[in-house]
Amino acid sequence: MSENSQSGTSPTITRHDHNAGQVIGRHRHAFHQLVYVSTGVLAVQTGEASWVASSAQAMWIPADTWHQHRVYGPSCVHTIGFAPDDAPLPPASPTVVFVEPLLRELLIARSDPDLSGPESDRLQAVMRDRLRRSHVQPLTLPTPQDPRLVRACGLATENLAELRTVTWLARQSGVGERTLSRLFRTEFGMTYPQWRTTTRVFHAMIQLAEGATVTETGRRCGWATTSAFIDTFTRTIGQTPGNYRALACGIPRSSPAREHAGGRPRTPLGGVVGWPLS
C-alpha cells in the first residue's frame, strides 16, 4: 500500500503470507485493526513510536492511526478489523497485547476465508472475550523528535555491540551531557540506560526472527554474556530467546540445554528505530 493512502471504511479480515523483509507502506484504516503473525515477526511504526510483535503478541492499531509494517523472517499475517464503535480493546493508542494459546487459535481460525457466517460470529464472540482478558505488554520504543536526540539515538543503535555512554553520545552529538540526559527523560520517560536496554531487546527480537543464534544475538546486541542476555530478554518478553526464536522461525524447539543452537541470520540486522522502508 502506498504512502498516504487510506483503506476502505468497512472492517476487513485477511490472512496472507509475506517474504522476509517485506514492507507495507504508510497507511491508515477507518476501522480498528488487530494484526497477528502466526509465524515470523512484525515491526509496526507510527510517527510516535515503534513496536515488535511475534506469535506471542498481537498488535492493536486504533482507527485512523497512520502506520507502516515490516516483517522479519517469512511471515504469515492475520488481520482482524473492528468497527470504530465496537472496540474490544482501548481505542486510544497502538499497543501490543499478549496472545495466550486459545487466543492464538481463535485469531488463526477467525481469519480463515472459508468460514461460514454463523461460525465467524461464534468465533468472533469468543475472541472478543479473550481479548478483553488479555494483558497489555508495555514494551514500546518511542521515536525521537528533537534533532539532537535523533542523532544520539542513531549513534547508539548503529553498533549495539559497542557500549556507547551518554558522555560519548553527547560529545558526538554536539550537546551537553545534562541536556542529552534530560532529553531522554522528557521525550521517552526513561533514562538513557533504560532506553538502550529496550532498544537492544527490540533489535534482539528481529535478529532472532531472522535466524540468528541466541549467543550471536546477545553478542551483537551488546550483552557481555549469553546468560545475561537470556535473563534480560526473558524478564522483558516473558519467554526465553530460544523459545522466541523457535516460534518466530517456525522451527521445532530444542531442549533448554541447546538454548544457544540455531542457524545464522538470513538477512542483515534491520533496526527498529529508522528501519529501512525500501
Side-chain angles (χ1 to χ4, degrees):
M1 191 170 291
S2 62
E3 172 78 9
N4 293 330
S5 61
Q6 182 167 7
S7 63
T9 59
S10 299
T12 60
I13 297 173
T14 67
R15 181 176 66 188
H16 35 86
D17 295 321
H18 291 285
N19 296 322
Q22 190 170 348
V23 172
I24 301 174
R26 187 173 182 268
H27 65 286
R28 60 179 176 175
H29 311 280
F31 51 86
H32 306 299
Q33 187 179 62
L34 189 71
V35 186
Y36 176 66
V37 285
S38 54
T39 58
V41 164
L42 176 77
V44 177
Q45 188 178 52
T46 67
E48 292 74 38
S50 300
W51 297 263
V52 173
S54 70
S55 60
Q57 303 94 19
M59 188 72 211
W60 171 253
I61 304 173
D64 294 320
T65 300
W66 288 102
H67 61 284
Q68 51 203 10
H69 304 164
R70 177 173 178 169
V71 297
Y72 292 87
S75 301
C76 183
V77 180
H78 311 257
T79 68
I80 312 293
F82 298 89
D85 60 350
D86 193 22
L89 292 167
S93 60
T95 190
V96 174
V97 296
F98 176 70
V99 174
E100 41 85 16
L102 175 56
L103 180 56
R104 167 186 165 84
E105 297 307 320
L106 289 166
L107 290 168
I108 293 173
R110 183 67 184 89
S111 63
D112 185 343
D114 297 325
L115 286 178
S116 65
E119 187 176 5
S120 296
D121 292 342
R122 290 192 295 270
L123 286 172
Q124 186 90 350
V126 179
M127 184 179 66
R128 285 177 176 279
D129 289 341
R130 300 313 302 175
L131 282 171
R132 292 189 179 101
R133 291 176 174 267
S134 296
H135 299 292
V136 173
Q137 297 200 334
L139 189 64
T140 302
L141 194 62
T143 300
Q145 304 298 324
D146 188 290
R148 296 167 294 181
L149 193 56
V150 171
R151 174 162 173 75
C153 290
L155 289 169
T157 56
E158 69 181 9
N159 185 2
L160 289 173
E162 180 180 339
L163 175 58
R164 293 181 168 175
T165 65
V166 70
T167 302
W168 185 91
L169 290 176
R171 185 167 59 249
Q172 296 298 316
S173 302
V175 62
E177 182 177 341
R178 283 189 176 183
T179 299
L180 185 57
S181 296
R182 176 177 53 80
L183 286 172
F184 274 100
R185 291 193 300 270
T186 56
E187 284 207 17
F188 297 158
M190 63 183 83
T191 64
Y192 168 65
Q194 290 171 329
W195 173 86
R196 185 173 182 270
T197 296
T198 300
T199 300
R200 289 189 296 158
V201 171
F202 266 66
H203 280 262
M205 294 169 73
I206 292 171
Q207 282 274 297
L208 293 167
E210 293 289 355
T213 66
V214 172
T215 297
E216 189 172 44
T217 298
R219 176 179 55 80
R220 289 184 174 185
C221 293
W223 275 274
T225 65
T226 301
S227 60
F229 166 54
I230 293 173
D231 179 66
T232 301
F233 190 96
T234 303
R235 284 188 287 106
T236 304
I237 302 301
Q239 59 183 313
T240 67
N243 277 329
Y244 183 95
R245 178 181 179 275
L247 288 169
C249 297
I251 58 177
R253 182 69 182 98
S254 60
S255 66
R258 299 187 63 191
E259 178 81 349
H260 304 172
R264 299 181 65 82
R266 291 183 290 275
T267 61
L269 172 67
V272 176
V273 175
W275 45 268
L277 298 178
S278 61

PDB file of all heavy atoms in Angstrom, residues 114-137:
ATOM      1  N   ASP A 114     -12.728 -19.287   4.372  1.00  0.00           N
ATOM      2  CA  ASP A 114     -13.817 -20.212   4.041  1.00  0.00           C
ATOM      3  C   ASP A 114     -14.845 -20.378   5.158  1.00  0.00           C
ATOM      4  O   ASP A 114     -15.723 -21.238   5.075  1.00  0.00           O
ATOM      5  CB  ASP A 114     -13.228 -21.585   3.691  1.00  0.00           C
ATOM      6  CG  ASP A 114     -12.339 -21.538   2.459  1.00  0.00           C
ATOM      7  OD1 ASP A 114     -12.649 -20.747   1.533  1.00  0.00           O
ATOM      8  OD2 ASP A 114     -11.322 -22.261   2.422  1.00  0.00           O
ATOM      9  N   LEU A 115     -14.763 -19.572   6.209  1.00  0.00           N
ATOM     10  CA  LEU A 115     -15.712 -19.687   7.312  1.00  0.00           C
ATOM     11  C   LEU A 115     -17.115 -19.279   6.868  1.00  0.00           C
ATOM     12  O   LEU A 115     -17.292 -18.346   6.088  1.00  0.00           O
ATOM     13  CB  LEU A 115     -15.294 -18.792   8.471  1.00  0.00           C
ATOM     14  CG  LEU A 115     -14.098 -19.221   9.320  1.00  0.00           C
ATOM     15  CD1 LEU A 115     -13.822 -18.160  10.373  1.00  0.00           C
ATOM     16  CD2 LEU A 115     -14.346 -20.569   9.969  1.00  0.00           C
ATOM     17  N   SER A 116     -18.102 -19.965   7.417  1.00  0.00           N
ATOM     18  CA  SER A 116     -19.483 -19.537   7.207  1.00  0.00           C
ATOM     19  C   SER A 116     -19.810 -18.375   8.135  1.00  0.00           C
ATOM     20  O   SER A 116     -19.116 -18.135   9.123  1.00  0.00           O
ATOM     21  CB  SER A 116     -20.435 -20.705   7.490  1.00  0.00           C
ATOM     22  OG  SER A 116     -20.376 -21.070   8.864  1.00  0.00           O
ATOM     23  N   GLY A 117     -20.888 -17.657   7.838  1.00  0.00           N
ATOM     24  CA  GLY A 117     -21.277 -16.515   8.654  1.00  0.00           C
ATOM     25  C   GLY A 117     -21.523 -16.856  10.105  1.00  0.00           C
ATOM     26  O   GLY A 117     -20.961 -16.212  11.007  1.00  0.00           O
ATOM     27  N   PRO A 118     -22.350 -17.865  10.406  1.00  0.00           N
ATOM     28  CA  PRO A 118     -22.613 -18.215  11.804  1.00  0.00           C
ATOM     29  C   PRO A 118     -21.350 -18.636  12.555  1.00  0.00           C
ATOM     30  O   PRO A 118     -21.161 -18.284  13.717  1.00  0.00           O
ATOM     31  CB  PRO A 118     -23.610 -19.370  11.695  1.00  0.00           C
ATOM     32  CG  PRO A 118     -24.292 -19.142  10.382  1.00  0.00           C
ATOM     33  CD  PRO A 118     -23.231 -18.612   9.475  1.00  0.00           C
ATOM     34  N   GLU A 119     -20.478 -19.403  11.880  1.00  0.00           N
ATOM     35  CA  GLU A 119     -19.243 -19.836  12.531  1.00  0.00           C
ATOM     36  C   GLU A 119     -18.337 -18.638  12.820  1.00  0.00           C
ATOM     37  O   GLU A 119     -17.728 -18.546  13.892  1.00  0.00           O
ATOM     38  CB  GLU A 119     -18.509 -20.846  11.652  1.00  0.00           C
ATOM     39  CG  GLU A 119     -17.299 -21.483  12.335  1.00  0.00           C
ATOM     40  CD  GLU A 119     -16.638 -22.544  11.477  1.00  0.00           C
ATOM     41  OE1 GLU A 119     -17.053 -22.729  10.317  1.00  0.00           O
ATOM     42  OE2 GLU A 119     -15.698 -23.202  11.975  1.00  0.00           O
ATOM     43  N   SER A 120     -18.272 -17.711  11.869  1.00  0.00           N
ATOM     44  CA  SER A 120     -17.482 -16.495  12.073  1.00  0.00           C
ATOM     45  C   SER A 120     -17.977 -15.715  13.280  1.00  0.00           C
ATOM     46  O   SER A 120     -17.187 -15.223  14.090  1.00  0.00           O
ATOM     47  CB  SER A 120     -17.540 -15.606  10.828  1.00  0.00           C
ATOM     48  OG  SER A 120     -16.955 -16.243   9.717  1.00  0.00           O
ATOM     49  N   ASP A 121     -19.281 -15.606  13.411  1.00  0.00           N
ATOM     50  CA  ASP A 121     -19.857 -14.849  14.528  1.00  0.00           C
ATOM     51  C   ASP A 121     -19.532 -15.500  15.863  1.00  0.00           C
ATOM     52  O   ASP A 121     -19.225 -14.806  16.848  1.00  0.00           O
ATOM     53  CB  ASP A 121     -21.375 -14.747  14.355  1.00  0.00           C
ATOM     54  CG  ASP A 121     -21.773 -13.885  13.168  1.00  0.00           C
ATOM     55  OD1 ASP A 121     -20.928 -13.103  12.697  1.00  0.00           O
ATOM     56  OD2 ASP A 121     -22.934 -14.005  12.705  1.00  0.00           O
ATOM     57  N   ARG A 122     -19.584 -16.821  15.915  1.00  0.00           N
ATOM     58  CA  ARG A 122     -19.289 -17.515  17.168  1.00  0.00           C
ATOM     59  C   ARG A 122     -17.822 -17.341  17.558  1.00  0.00           C
ATOM     60  O   ARG A 122     -17.493 -17.070  18.715  1.00  0.00           O
ATOM     61  CB  ARG A 122     -19.643 -19.000  17.047  1.00  0.00           C
ATOM     62  CG  ARG A 122     -21.148 -19.268  16.964  1.00  0.00           C
ATOM     63  CD  ARG A 122     -21.454 -20.745  17.141  1.00  0.00           C
ATOM     64  NE  ARG A 122     -20.923 -21.558  16.059  1.00  0.00           N
ATOM     65  CZ  ARG A 122     -21.594 -21.854  14.923  1.00  0.00           C
ATOM     66  NH1 ARG A 122     -22.835 -21.381  14.757  1.00  0.00           N
ATOM     67  NH2 ARG A 122     -21.062 -22.616  13.997  1.00  0.00           N
ATOM     68  N   LEU A 123     -16.934 -17.495  16.585  1.00  0.00           N
ATOM     69  CA  LEU A 123     -15.512 -17.306  16.853  1.00  0.00           C
ATOM     70  C   LEU A 123     -15.218 -15.869  17.282  1.00  0.00           C
ATOM     71  O   LEU A 123     -14.419 -15.620  18.192  1.00  0.00           O
ATOM     72  CB  LEU A 123     -14.690 -17.655  15.609  1.00  0.00           C
ATOM     73  CG  LEU A 123     -14.549 -19.140  15.270  1.00  0.00           C
ATOM     74  CD1 LEU A 123     -13.891 -19.310  13.911  1.00  0.00           C
ATOM     75  CD2 LEU A 123     -13.733 -19.859  16.338  1.00  0.00           C
ATOM     76  N   GLN A 124     -15.873 -14.927  16.615  1.00  0.00           N
ATOM     77  CA  GLN A 124     -15.654 -13.511  16.934  1.00  0.00           C
ATOM     78  C   GLN A 124     -16.052 -13.204  18.372  1.00  0.00           C
ATOM     79  O   GLN A 124     -15.364 -12.462  19.078  1.00  0.00           O
ATOM     80  CB  GLN A 124     -16.455 -12.631  15.963  1.00  0.00           C
ATOM     81  CG  GLN A 124     -16.203 -11.149  16.101  1.00  0.00           C
ATOM     82  CD  GLN A 124     -15.072 -10.657  15.220  1.00  0.00           C
ATOM     83  OE1 GLN A 124     -14.349 -11.459  14.630  1.00  0.00           O
ATOM     84  NE2 GLN A 124     -14.919  -9.355  15.121  1.00  0.00           N
ATOM     85  N   ALA A 125     -17.172 -13.779  18.806  1.00  0.00           N
ATOM     86  CA  ALA A 125     -17.653 -13.516  20.163  1.00  0.00           C
ATOM     87  C   ALA A 125     -16.668 -14.036  21.211  1.00  0.00           C
ATOM     88  O   ALA A 125     -16.352 -13.345  22.187  1.00  0.00           O
ATOM     89  CB  ALA A 125     -19.027 -14.155  20.354  1.00  0.00           C
ATOM     90  N   VAL A 126     -16.159 -15.261  21.008  1.00  0.00           N
ATOM     91  CA  VAL A 126     -15.195 -15.816  21.964  1.00  0.00           C
ATOM     92  C   VAL A 126     -13.881 -15.042  21.901  1.00  0.00           C
ATOM     93  O   VAL A 126     -13.250 -14.768  22.929  1.00  0.00           O
ATOM     94  CB  VAL A 126     -14.961 -17.314  21.674  1.00  0.00           C
ATOM     95  CG1 VAL A 126     -13.945 -17.887  22.665  1.00  0.00           C
ATOM     96  CG2 VAL A 126     -16.270 -18.090  21.765  1.00  0.00           C
ATOM     97  N   MET A 127     -13.467 -14.666  20.699  1.00  0.00           N
ATOM     98  CA  MET A 127     -12.228 -13.917  20.539  1.00  0.00           C
ATOM     99  C   MET A 127     -12.297 -12.580  21.279  1.00  0.00           C
ATOM    100  O   MET A 127     -11.340 -12.170  21.943  1.00  0.00           O
ATOM    101  CB  MET A 127     -11.946 -13.683  19.055  1.00  0.00           C
ATOM    102  CG  MET A 127     -10.622 -12.995  18.775  1.00  0.00           C
ATOM    103  SD  MET A 127     -10.349 -12.773  17.005  1.00  0.00           S
ATOM    104  CE  MET A 127     -11.673 -11.615  16.636  1.00  0.00           C
ATOM    105  N   ARG A 128     -13.434 -11.917  21.199  1.00  0.00           N
ATOM    106  CA  ARG A 128     -13.614 -10.651  21.921  1.00  0.00           C
ATOM    107  C   ARG A 128     -13.469 -10.850  23.428  1.00  0.00           C
ATOM    108  O   ARG A 128     -12.817 -10.053  24.112  1.00  0.00           O
ATOM    109  CB  ARG A 128     -14.995 -10.066  21.621  1.00  0.00           C
ATOM    110  CG  ARG A 128     -15.122  -9.437  20.253  1.00  0.00           C
ATOM    111  CD  ARG A 128     -16.557  -8.967  20.041  1.00  0.00           C
ATOM    112  NE  ARG A 128     -16.686  -8.284  18.768  1.00  0.00           N
ATOM    113  CZ  ARG A 128     -16.354  -7.016  18.565  1.00  0.00           C
ATOM    114  NH1 ARG A 128     -15.871  -6.303  19.562  1.00  0.00           N
ATOM    115  NH2 ARG A 128     -16.486  -6.462  17.387  1.00  0.00           N
ATOM    116  N   ASP A 129     -14.072 -11.921  23.939  1.00  0.00           N
ATOM    117  CA  ASP A 129     -13.970 -12.201  25.368  1.00  0.00           C
ATOM    118  C   ASP A 129     -12.517 -12.393  25.788  1.00  0.00           C
ATOM    119  O   ASP A 129     -12.078 -11.883  26.826  1.00  0.00           O
ATOM    120  CB  ASP A 129     -14.782 -13.446  25.727  1.00  0.00           C
ATOM    121  CG  ASP A 129     -16.287 -13.210  25.650  1.00  0.00           C
ATOM    122  OD1 ASP A 129     -16.696 -12.030  25.672  1.00  0.00           O
ATOM    123  OD2 ASP A 129     -17.039 -14.200  25.564  1.00  0.00           O
ATOM    124  N   ARG A 130     -11.767 -13.141  24.979  1.00  0.00           N
ATOM    125  CA  ARG A 130     -10.366 -13.400  25.322  1.00  0.00           C
ATOM    126  C   ARG A 130      -9.523 -12.135  25.197  1.00  0.00           C
ATOM    127  O   ARG A 130      -8.607 -11.915  25.993  1.00  0.00           O
ATOM    128  CB  ARG A 130      -9.792 -14.506  24.435  1.00  0.00           C
ATOM    129  CG  ARG A 130     -10.500 -15.844  24.530  1.00  0.00           C
ATOM    130  CD  ARG A 130     -10.743 -16.276  25.949  1.00  0.00           C
ATOM    131  NE  ARG A 130      -9.528 -16.383  26.744  1.00  0.00           N
ATOM    132  CZ  ARG A 130      -9.503 -16.650  28.039  1.00  0.00           C
ATOM    133  NH1 ARG A 130     -10.641 -16.808  28.701  1.00  0.00           N
ATOM    134  NH2 ARG A 130      -8.357 -16.737  28.690  1.00  0.00           N
ATOM    135  N   LEU A 131      -9.815 -11.294  24.214  1.00  0.00           N
ATOM    136  CA  LEU A 131      -9.071 -10.051  24.056  1.00  0.00           C
ATOM    137  C   LEU A 131      -9.258  -9.134  25.263  1.00  0.00           C
ATOM    138  O   LEU A 131      -8.323  -8.471  25.710  1.00  0.00           O
ATOM    139  CB  LEU A 131      -9.498  -9.326  22.774  1.00  0.00           C
ATOM    140  CG  LEU A 131      -8.919  -9.856  21.469  1.00  0.00           C
ATOM    141  CD1 LEU A 131      -9.602  -9.185  20.274  1.00  0.00           C
ATOM    142  CD2 LEU A 131      -7.407  -9.618  21.414  1.00  0.00           C
ATOM    143  N   ARG A 132     -10.480  -9.101  25.765  1.00  0.00           N
ATOM    144  CA  ARG A 132     -10.750  -8.241  26.922  1.00  0.00           C
ATOM    145  C   ARG A 132      -9.995  -8.706  28.165  1.00  0.00           C
ATOM    146  O   ARG A 132      -9.779  -7.932  29.096  1.00  0.00           O
ATOM    147  CB  ARG A 132     -12.253  -8.188  27.193  1.00  0.00           C
ATOM    148  CG  ARG A 132     -13.038  -7.463  26.096  1.00  0.00           C
ATOM    149  CD  ARG A 132     -14.483  -7.241  26.499  1.00  0.00           C
ATOM    150  NE  ARG A 132     -15.214  -6.537  25.456  1.00  0.00           N
ATOM    151  CZ  ARG A 132     -16.033  -7.118  24.586  1.00  0.00           C
ATOM    152  NH1 ARG A 132     -16.225  -8.430  24.638  1.00  0.00           N
ATOM    153  NH2 ARG A 132     -16.657  -6.407  23.674  1.00  0.00           N
ATOM    154  N   ARG A 133      -9.597  -9.975  28.179  1.00  0.00           N
ATOM    155  CA  ARG A 133      -8.837 -10.518  29.301  1.00  0.00           C
ATOM    156  C   ARG A 133      -7.331 -10.489  29.048  1.00  0.00           C
ATOM    157  O   ARG A 133      -6.542 -10.866  29.916  1.00  0.00           O
ATOM    158  CB  ARG A 133      -9.256 -11.974  29.571  1.00  0.00           C
ATOM    159  CG  ARG A 133     -10.670 -12.117  30.121  1.00  0.00           C
ATOM    160  CD  ARG A 133     -11.038 -13.585  30.256  1.00  0.00           C
ATOM    161  NE  ARG A 133     -12.320 -13.767  30.915  1.00  0.00           N
ATOM    162  CZ  ARG A 133     -12.482 -13.946  32.215  1.00  0.00           C
ATOM    163  NH1 ARG A 133     -11.418 -13.948  33.002  1.00  0.00           N
ATOM    164  NH2 ARG A 133     -13.670 -14.115  32.733  1.00  0.00           N
ATOM    165  N   SER A 134      -6.917 -10.073  27.864  1.00  0.00           N
ATOM    166  CA  SER A 134      -5.505 -10.099  27.502  1.00  0.00           C
ATOM    167  C   SER A 134      -4.721  -9.041  28.266  1.00  0.00           C
ATOM    168  O   SER A 134      -5.233  -7.959  28.580  1.00  0.00           O
ATOM    169  CB  SER A 134      -5.333  -9.862  25.997  1.00  0.00           C
ATOM    170  OG  SER A 134      -5.913 -10.900  25.253  1.00  0.00           O
ATOM    171  N   HIS A 135      -3.484  -9.361  28.541  1.00  0.00           N
ATOM    172  CA  HIS A 135      -2.591  -8.427  29.216  1.00  0.00           C
ATOM    173  C   HIS A 135      -1.889  -7.566  28.169  1.00  0.00           C
ATOM    174  O   HIS A 135      -1.382  -8.064  27.169  1.00  0.00           O
ATOM    175  CB  HIS A 135      -1.552  -9.180  30.044  1.00  0.00           C
ATOM    176  CG  HIS A 135      -2.141 -10.017  31.118  1.00  0.00           C
ATOM    177  ND1 HIS A 135      -2.775  -9.480  32.223  1.00  0.00           N
ATOM    178  CD2 HIS A 135      -2.211 -11.372  31.267  1.00  0.00           C
ATOM    179  CE1 HIS A 135      -3.193 -10.458  33.005  1.00  0.00           C
ATOM    180  NE2 HIS A 135      -2.876 -11.613  32.441  1.00  0.00           N
ATOM    181  N   VAL A 136      -1.867  -6.274  28.416  1.00  0.00           N
ATOM    182  CA  VAL A 136      -1.152  -5.356  27.535  1.00  0.00           C
ATOM    183  C   VAL A 136       0.330  -5.419  27.849  1.00  0.00           C
ATOM    184  O   VAL A 136       0.726  -5.376  29.017  1.00  0.00           O
ATOM    185  CB  VAL A 136      -1.675  -3.915  27.710  1.00  0.00           C
ATOM    186  CG1 VAL A 136      -0.819  -2.929  26.917  1.00  0.00           C
ATOM    187  CG2 VAL A 136      -3.126  -3.835  27.263  1.00  0.00           C
ATOM    188  N   GLN A 137       1.159  -5.534  26.814  1.00  0.00           N
ATOM    189  CA  GLN A 137       2.602  -5.563  27.002  1.00  0.00           C
ATOM    190  C   GLN A 137       3.163  -4.170  26.733  1.00  0.00           C
ATOM    191  O   GLN A 137       2.986  -3.632  25.646  1.00  0.00           O
ATOM    192  CB  GLN A 137       3.238  -6.598  26.072  1.00  0.00           C
ATOM    193  CG  GLN A 137       2.773  -8.021  26.370  1.00  0.00           C
ATOM    194  CD  GLN A 137       3.712  -9.061  25.818  1.00  0.00           C
ATOM    195  OE1 GLN A 137       4.415  -8.831  24.872  1.00  0.00           O
ATOM    196  NE2 GLN A 137       3.715 -10.227  26.432  1.00  0.00           N
TER     197      GLN A 137
END
